[in-house]
Amino acid sequence: MKLSFNDSFELNISLLKKILLAQFLFLLLMSIFRVLFYLEFSANEKYILSEVISAYIMGIRLDLVVMGYVQALISIIFFIVYFLRSHKIYMFIKKLLPYYLLFFYLFISGIVATDFGYFSFFNEHITLMIYGIMDDDTMALLRTVYDNYNVVLIFFIAIFYMFLLKAL
């Protein structure tokens, strides 16, 4: 069924509002990760408040760049769907987009979680050294991770987190 440009525009805007809400909630979630990171690894340090605020603003800017890359393909798809004006394609995209966002949100969250563990072990953010982990005694590293972290709890939190993201 061919939609009018007006109907196509309204459908795209309604879907875009939902996606922007999901993007905003994910940005908020990433900021919470940043606060947890700060609380975990800088408890003994003294920082000037203006520097901390500046660092958080820079972090939000970097998160927005990452989210912009995720949003770029969505924007291109919206542009194409708007001019095709097909209700069938619109409904397909509407069903596909939550899985697209879920995949990238989980991927980005996995990188953040890995960085959290990497920082606690090596006291620096992820570097190219992470590729050397496979060259080391991988089983010993996995045993260390299992001994130092509650892996079962982390697994269940990750499952809950996945369902939370799916609900967005």
Side-chain angles (χ1 to χ4, degrees), residues 41-75:
F41 296 114
S42 68
N44 300 331
E45 303 291 328
K46 299 285 184 200
Y47 294 103
I48 299 170
L49 182 62
S50 64
E51 290 177 354
V52 173
I53 291 171
S54 178
Y56 278 112
I57 291 171
M58 179 62 73
I60 289 172
R61 287 177 59 200
L62 292 173
D63 292 343
L64 284 170
V65 167
V66 170
M67 292 171 59
Y69 284 118
V70 172
Q71 183 66 31
L73 182 61
I74 295 171
S75 297

Short mmCIF file of all heavy atoms in Angstrom, two decimals, residues 41-75:
data_model
loop_
_atom_site.label_atom_id
_atom_site.label_comp_id
_atom_site.label_asym_id
_atom_site.label_seq_id
_atom_site.Cartn_x
_atom_site.Cartn_y
_atom_site.Cartn_z
N PHE A 41 36.81 3.55 40.98
CA PHE A 41 38.26 3.66 40.77
C PHE A 41 38.88 4.98 41.23
O PHE A 41 40.09 5.15 41.11
CB PHE A 41 38.59 3.43 39.29
CG PHE A 41 38.24 2.05 38.84
CD1 PHE A 41 37.24 1.85 37.90
CD2 PHE A 41 38.87 0.94 39.36
CE1 PHE A 41 36.90 0.58 37.49
CE2 PHE A 41 38.54 -0.34 38.97
CZ PHE A 41 37.54 -0.52 38.03
N SER A 42 38.10 5.89 41.75
CA SER A 42 38.70 7.14 42.22
C SER A 42 38.28 7.49 43.63
O SER A 42 38.24 8.67 44.00
CB SER A 42 38.34 8.27 41.26
OG SER A 42 36.97 8.54 41.35
N ALA A 43 37.98 6.49 44.42
CA ALA A 43 37.50 6.74 45.78
C ALA A 43 38.56 7.44 46.65
O ALA A 43 38.22 8.25 47.50
CB ALA A 43 37.08 5.43 46.43
N ASN A 44 39.83 7.15 46.43
CA ASN A 44 40.89 7.71 47.26
C ASN A 44 41.50 8.98 46.68
O ASN A 44 42.37 9.58 47.29
CB ASN A 44 42.01 6.67 47.45
CG ASN A 44 41.49 5.42 48.13
OD1 ASN A 44 40.54 5.49 48.90
ND2 ASN A 44 42.09 4.30 47.84
N GLU A 45 41.06 9.37 45.50
CA GLU A 45 41.64 10.52 44.82
C GLU A 45 40.85 11.79 45.16
O GLU A 45 39.66 11.74 45.42
CB GLU A 45 41.63 10.31 43.31
CG GLU A 45 42.36 9.07 42.85
CD GLU A 45 43.87 9.17 43.04
OE1 GLU A 45 44.42 10.28 42.93
OE2 GLU A 45 44.48 8.12 43.31
N LYS A 46 41.53 12.91 45.11
CA LYS A 46 40.90 14.22 45.30
C LYS A 46 40.94 14.94 43.96
O LYS A 46 42.00 15.12 43.38
CB LYS A 46 41.64 15.04 46.36
CG LYS A 46 41.66 14.41 47.72
CD LYS A 46 40.33 14.54 48.38
CE LYS A 46 40.41 13.97 49.79
NZ LYS A 46 39.17 13.62 50.33
N TYR A 47 39.77 15.35 43.48
CA TYR A 47 39.68 16.05 42.21
C TYR A 47 38.95 17.37 42.42
O TYR A 47 38.09 17.49 43.29
CB TYR A 47 38.93 15.22 41.17
CG TYR A 47 39.64 13.97 40.77
CD1 TYR A 47 39.25 12.72 41.25
CD2 TYR A 47 40.72 14.02 39.89
CE1 TYR A 47 39.91 11.57 40.87
CE2 TYR A 47 41.38 12.86 39.51
CZ TYR A 47 40.98 11.65 40.01
OH TYR A 47 41.64 10.51 39.65
N ILE A 48 39.26 18.31 41.56
CA ILE A 48 38.55 19.59 41.57
C ILE A 48 37.21 19.38 40.89
O ILE A 48 37.13 18.75 39.83
CB ILE A 48 39.39 20.66 40.84
CG1 ILE A 48 40.73 20.84 41.55
CG2 ILE A 48 38.63 21.98 40.76
CD1 ILE A 48 41.72 21.69 40.80
N LEU A 49 36.15 19.89 41.50
CA LEU A 49 34.79 19.67 41.00
C LEU A 49 34.63 20.11 39.54
O LEU A 49 34.00 19.40 38.74
CB LEU A 49 33.77 20.38 41.88
CG LEU A 49 32.31 20.19 41.50
CD1 LEU A 49 31.91 18.71 41.60
CD2 LEU A 49 31.42 21.04 42.39
N SER A 50 35.22 21.21 39.17
CA SER A 50 35.08 21.69 37.78
C SER A 50 35.73 20.72 36.80
O SER A 50 35.23 20.54 35.68
CB SER A 50 35.68 23.09 37.63
OG SER A 50 37.07 23.06 37.88
N GLU A 51 36.82 20.07 37.21
CA GLU A 51 37.46 19.08 36.34
C GLU A 51 36.58 17.83 36.19
O GLU A 51 36.51 17.26 35.10
CB GLU A 51 38.83 18.68 36.89
CG GLU A 51 39.86 19.77 36.80
CD GLU A 51 41.19 19.36 37.41
OE1 GLU A 51 41.28 18.26 38.01
OE2 GLU A 51 42.15 20.14 37.30
N VAL A 52 35.95 17.42 37.26
CA VAL A 52 35.07 16.25 37.21
C VAL A 52 33.87 16.55 36.30
O VAL A 52 33.52 15.73 35.44
CB VAL A 52 34.60 15.85 38.63
CG1 VAL A 52 33.54 14.76 38.56
CG2 VAL A 52 35.78 15.40 39.47
N ILE A 53 33.29 17.71 36.45
CA ILE A 53 32.15 18.09 35.60
C ILE A 53 32.58 18.18 34.15
O ILE A 53 31.89 17.69 33.25
CB ILE A 53 31.52 19.41 36.10
CG1 ILE A 53 30.84 19.19 37.45
CG2 ILE A 53 30.52 19.96 35.08
CD1 ILE A 53 30.37 20.45 38.13
N SER A 54 33.75 18.75 33.90
CA SER A 54 34.28 18.84 32.54
C SER A 54 34.50 17.44 31.95
O SER A 54 34.21 17.19 30.77
CB SER A 54 35.58 19.63 32.55
OG SER A 54 36.14 19.68 31.28
N ALA A 55 35.00 16.53 32.77
CA ALA A 55 35.22 15.15 32.31
C ALA A 55 33.89 14.47 31.98
O ALA A 55 33.80 13.74 30.97
CB ALA A 55 35.97 14.35 33.37
N TYR A 56 32.87 14.69 32.79
CA TYR A 56 31.56 14.10 32.50
C TYR A 56 30.96 14.66 31.22
O TYR A 56 30.37 13.94 30.42
CB TYR A 56 30.58 14.30 33.67
CG TYR A 56 30.76 13.28 34.75
CD1 TYR A 56 31.25 13.64 35.99
CD2 TYR A 56 30.45 11.95 34.54
CE1 TYR A 56 31.43 12.71 36.99
CE2 TYR A 56 30.64 11.01 35.53
CZ TYR A 56 31.12 11.40 36.75
OH TYR A 56 31.30 10.46 37.72
N ILE A 57 31.12 15.96 31.02
CA ILE A 57 30.61 16.56 29.78
C ILE A 57 31.33 15.99 28.57
O ILE A 57 30.71 15.66 27.56
CB ILE A 57 30.73 18.11 29.85
CG1 ILE A 57 29.75 18.64 30.88
CG2 ILE A 57 30.49 18.74 28.48
CD1 ILE A 57 29.92 20.11 31.20
N MET A 58 32.65 15.82 28.68
CA MET A 58 33.41 15.21 27.58
C MET A 58 32.95 13.77 27.37
O MET A 58 32.82 13.32 26.22
CB MET A 58 34.90 15.24 27.90
CG MET A 58 35.75 14.59 26.83
SD MET A 58 35.66 15.39 25.23
CE MET A 58 36.60 16.84 25.55
N GLY A 59 32.68 13.04 28.43
CA GLY A 59 32.20 11.67 28.31
C GLY A 59 30.86 11.60 27.61
O GLY A 59 30.63 10.73 26.76
N ILE A 60 29.97 12.51 27.95
CA ILE A 60 28.66 12.55 27.29
C ILE A 60 28.83 12.87 25.81
O ILE A 60 28.17 12.29 24.95
CB ILE A 60 27.72 13.56 27.99
CG1 ILE A 60 27.31 13.00 29.35
CG2 ILE A 60 26.49 13.85 27.15
CD1 ILE A 60 26.54 13.98 30.22
N ARG A 61 29.75 13.78 25.50
CA ARG A 61 30.01 14.10 24.09
C ARG A 61 30.51 12.87 23.33
O ARG A 61 30.09 12.62 22.21
CB ARG A 61 31.03 15.23 23.99
CG ARG A 61 30.46 16.58 24.39
CD ARG A 61 31.48 17.67 24.36
NE ARG A 61 32.06 17.81 23.03
CZ ARG A 61 33.22 18.39 22.79
NH1 ARG A 61 33.94 18.87 23.79
NH2 ARG A 61 33.67 18.49 21.56
N LEU A 62 31.40 12.11 23.95
CA LEU A 62 31.91 10.90 23.29
C LEU A 62 30.80 9.85 23.14
O LEU A 62 30.73 9.16 22.11
CB LEU A 62 33.10 10.33 24.07
CG LEU A 62 34.36 11.18 24.04
CD1 LEU A 62 35.41 10.62 24.98
CD2 LEU A 62 34.90 11.31 22.63
N ASP A 63 29.95 9.72 24.15
CA ASP A 63 28.82 8.80 24.06
C ASP A 63 27.88 9.22 22.93
O ASP A 63 27.34 8.38 22.20
CB ASP A 63 28.05 8.74 25.38
CG ASP A 63 28.84 8.07 26.49
OD1 ASP A 63 29.84 7.38 26.18
OD2 ASP A 63 28.47 8.24 27.66
N LEU A 64 27.68 10.52 22.78
CA LEU A 64 26.82 11.02 21.70
C LEU A 64 27.41 10.70 20.32
O LEU A 64 26.67 10.41 19.37
CB LEU A 64 26.59 12.52 21.84
CG LEU A 64 25.59 12.93 22.92
CD1 LEU A 64 25.62 14.44 23.13
CD2 LEU A 64 24.19 12.46 22.59
N VAL A 65 28.72 10.74 20.21
CA VAL A 65 29.37 10.38 18.94
C VAL A 65 29.09 8.91 18.61
O VAL A 65 28.71 8.57 17.48
CB VAL A 65 30.89 10.66 18.99
CG1 VAL A 65 31.60 10.02 17.82
CG2 VAL A 65 31.14 12.15 19.02
N VAL A 66 29.26 8.05 19.60
CA VAL A 66 29.00 6.62 19.38
C VAL A 66 27.54 6.41 19.01
O VAL A 66 27.23 5.66 18.07
CB VAL A 66 29.37 5.81 20.65
CG1 VAL A 66 28.89 4.37 20.53
CG2 VAL A 66 30.87 5.85 20.88
N MET A 67 26.64 7.08 19.71
CA MET A 67 25.22 6.93 19.40
C MET A 67 24.89 7.52 18.03
O MET A 67 23.98 7.05 17.36
CB MET A 67 24.38 7.58 20.50
CG MET A 67 24.49 6.80 21.81
SD MET A 67 23.74 7.62 23.20
CE MET A 67 22.08 7.79 22.66
N GLY A 68 25.63 8.53 17.62
CA GLY A 68 25.44 9.09 16.28
C GLY A 68 25.78 8.08 15.20
O GLY A 68 25.10 8.00 14.17
N TYR A 69 26.82 7.29 15.44
CA TYR A 69 27.16 6.24 14.47
C TYR A 69 26.07 5.18 14.39
O TYR A 69 25.75 4.68 13.32
CB TYR A 69 28.50 5.59 14.81
CG TYR A 69 29.69 6.44 14.46
CD1 TYR A 69 30.55 6.89 15.45
CD2 TYR A 69 29.94 6.83 13.15
CE1 TYR A 69 31.64 7.69 15.14
CE2 TYR A 69 31.02 7.62 12.83
CZ TYR A 69 31.87 8.05 13.83
OH TYR A 69 32.94 8.83 13.51
N VAL A 70 25.50 4.84 15.54
CA VAL A 70 24.39 3.88 15.55
C VAL A 70 23.18 4.48 14.85
O VAL A 70 22.49 3.80 14.07
CB VAL A 70 24.05 3.47 17.01
CG1 VAL A 70 22.79 2.63 17.05
CG2 VAL A 70 25.20 2.72 17.64
N GLN A 71 22.94 5.76 15.08
CA GLN A 71 21.77 6.43 14.51
C GLN A 71 21.92 6.69 13.02
O GLN A 71 20.91 6.84 12.31
CB GLN A 71 21.53 7.75 15.26
CG GLN A 71 20.31 8.51 14.83
CD GLN A 71 19.00 7.81 15.14
OE1 GLN A 71 18.91 7.08 16.11
NE2 GLN A 71 18.01 8.02 14.31
N ALA A 72 23.13 6.75 12.50
CA ALA A 72 23.35 7.10 11.09
C ALA A 72 22.62 6.15 10.14
O ALA A 72 21.93 6.59 9.22
CB ALA A 72 24.84 7.12 10.78
N LEU A 73 22.75 4.85 10.37
CA LEU A 73 22.07 3.89 9.49
C LEU A 73 20.55 4.02 9.62
O LEU A 73 19.83 3.94 8.62
CB LEU A 73 22.51 2.47 9.80
CG LEU A 73 21.92 1.38 8.93
CD1 LEU A 73 22.31 1.59 7.47
CD2 LEU A 73 22.40 0.01 9.39
N ILE A 74 20.08 4.27 10.83
CA ILE A 74 18.64 4.46 11.04
C ILE A 74 18.15 5.66 10.25
O ILE A 74 17.10 5.61 9.61
CB ILE A 74 18.32 4.61 12.54
CG1 ILE A 74 18.65 3.33 13.29
CG2 ILE A 74 16.87 5.00 12.76
CD1 ILE A 74 18.57 3.45 14.79
N SER A 75 18.91 6.74 10.27
CA SER A 75 18.51 7.95 9.53
C SER A 75 18.46 7.69 8.03
O SER A 75 17.55 8.16 7.35
CB SER A 75 19.48 9.08 9.85
OG SER A 75 19.42 9.40 11.22
#
